[in-house]
Amino acid sequence: MTIDETETTAGDWEREPTPSDSLRTFGAVVQALREHAGLSRAEFGLRVRFSKHTVESVELGRRMPDEAFVERAEQALGNTGALRRAARHLTRGEPGLAAWFRRWAKLEKVAVSLSTYECRLVPGLLQSEGYARAAFDSRVPPLSDDQMEAQVTARLKRQQLIRERPNTSFSFVVDEHIVQRRLGGVEVTRQLLDHMLAFTSLRNVSFQIMPTACHSHAGLDGPLALLETPDGRHLAYSEGQESGRLIADPKEAAVLHRRYATLRSQALNPLESVGLLERIRGAR
C-alpha cells in the first residue's frame, strides 16, 4: 500500500476539534521517540506508511491514531511496547465541553465539595434544558445544530453529578438579577425556576441569592468556582471570554475560598433564598 492510499484511509479519521489530554500526551511521546531516533516527520512517515501531515496531526493530538499507525510506529521506534500500552488509554475530547474547562470537569467528578458563584447566568449545574438552549442560542458567532446539541447534552450530563454524588456538598451563590432575567421567554424561565427549586430541595445542595439591594459584595471581580479534592487540596477555577484558568497555587486559591466565604455571609441564607425563588416563580 502506498502512502497516498493509506492517507486516503487516514482521511476517514475524525479530526479532533478539541484534542483531549490523552491524545496530546500520546502525540508528544511519539514525537519524542521519533526525534530520539533521529527521524524527520517525512522519514518517519515513510516507515509507518502515512504522510508527514498525518504524523504531524497525531503528534499534535489532532487525530485519533488507528491500530495500523500505532503498530507501525511501535515497530519503527524500538518495539518497546510503550505506544501500544499508551494507545489503550486514548480518549477523544468530551464533545460540548470547552478545551479549557475539561481539566476542571474531571476534578468535579471526584471532588468532596463544589462551590460556585455566578453573576452572568444560572450556573450550568442548575440549568434546565430550555434555559441551556436559550443560553447557547445567544452565542456569537452562532453555533451549528450539531454544536448546539453537543453543548446541551454535555451540560445536562454534568448535572447528574449532583444526584449521583449525594455525599458531595454543592454550594451556589448567584446574583438576584440572574433569576429575574427572562432568558428564553416566560415559559422557559418558569421551567428553569421549577428545575432550580427541585435541586435546592436536595440535602447536598445549598443555594443562596445575593440580593440586588446588597450594600457590600465580595464577588465584584467576577464568577468563580471552587472545589476540595479527596486529599484535602483546595482548588479554584476562573472563567472569562473564550478562556478559563485552573488555579492550583495554594495561596491564590485560599484567597478565592475566603472571598467565597464572605459572599455566603453577605447573601440571603438558603431558606430566604428559596423563598425569594418561589416568589419570583409565583410572579411569572
Side-chain angles (χ1 to χ4, degrees):
M1 183 179 290
T2 67
I3 292 175
D4 289 340
E5 289 171 335
T6 306
E7 181 61 17
T8 299
T9 303
D12 293 335
W13 300 356
E14 179 185 350
R15 183 179 178 84
E16 303 302 318
T18 46
S20 66
D21 290 341
S22 64
L23 282 175
R24 289 195 184 96
T25 301
F26 179 85
V29 172
V30 172
Q31 181 175 350
L33 291 174
R34 173 183 61 76
E35 292 176 347
H36 181 73
L39 300 172
S40 68
R41 281 175 174 157
E43 291 168 335
F44 180 64
L46 286 171
R47 296 197 181 192
V48 297
R49 302 199 297 279
F50 285 93
S51 77
K52 67 176 182 180
H53 301 295
T54 297
V55 172
E56 178 182 24
S57 292
V58 171
E59 289 185 349
L60 296 178
R62 294 195 301 228
R63 287 187 185 276
M64 172 72 79
D66 67 0
E67 291 182 9
F69 183 97
V70 174
E71 188 58 33
R72 293 171 194 166
E74 183 69 74
Q75 294 173 7
L77 297 173
N79 209 26
T80 64
L83 295 181
R84 292 191 191 97
R85 286 194 294 271
R88 297 173 194 159
H89 303 286
L90 287 175
T91 59
R92 299 186 187 278
E94 292 187 60
L97 292 181
W100 58 82
F101 184 73
R102 287 192 186 129
R103 288 181 65 195
W104 185 258
K106 290 179 181 178
L107 289 166
E108 284 184 331
K109 295 176 181 179
V110 298
V112 297
S113 69
L114 280 159
S115 302
T116 304
Y117 163 66
E118 260 295 354
C119 56
R120 306 166 301 177
L121 73 172
V122 171
L125 288 172
L126 296 179
Q127 292 181 10
S128 64
E129 180 176 347
Y131 183 92
R133 289 186 181 281
F136 289 128
D137 193 47
S138 300
R139 287 287 299 274
V140 177
L143 300 174
S144 69
D145 289 346
D146 288 344
Q147 289 172 324
M148 171 78 81
E149 291 307 314
Q151 297 268 25
V152 172
T153 298
R155 182 147 297 178
L156 297 180
K157 183 179 179 181
R158 278 184 64 227
Q159 292 185 3
Q160 297 173 11
L161 284 173
I162 297 180
R163 296 187 186 278
E164 292 176 351
R165 297 182 61 81
N167 298 120
T168 297
S169 300
F170 294 84
S171 171
F172 301 92
V173 176
V174 302
D175 280 354
E176 182 182 348
H177 68 84
I178 290 174
V179 292
Q180 295 281 8
R181 181 185 293 137
R182 299 185 181 184
L183 185 66
V186 174
E187 185 56 33
V188 168
T189 303
R190 185 178 294 118
Q191 293 172 357
L192 167 70
L193 297 174
D194 287 340
H195 187 76
M196 294 175 69
L197 285 167
F199 273 120
T200 60
S201 68
L202 300 176
R203 286 195 299 273
N204 62 330
V205 174
S206 172
F207 175 79
Q208 294 178 256
I209 294 176
M210 177 65 76
T212 303
C214 64
H215 294 171
S216 297
H217 197 313
L220 297 180
D221 285 342
L224 62 92
L226 312 168
L227 62 76
E228 181 182 356
T229 65
D231 59 359
R233 288 184 301 152
H234 291 83
L235 307 177
Y237 175 77
S238 176
E239 189 171 78
Q241 296 276 344
E242 302 299 321
S243 65
R245 185 168 71 100
L246 174 62
I247 301 167
D249 178 76
K251 291 183 178 179
E252 190 174 358
V255 169
L256 297 181
H257 278 260
R258 290 200 301 271
R259 193 170 295 170
Y260 187 80
T262 303
L263 273 169
R264 294 194 69 180
S265 70
Q266 295 169 335
L268 300 177
N269 67 42
L271 186 61
E272 294 170 333
S273 297
V274 171
L276 176 56
L277 207 59
E278 290 173 337
R279 292 195 296 276
I280 295 172
R281 167 63 178 85
R284 290 290 183 262

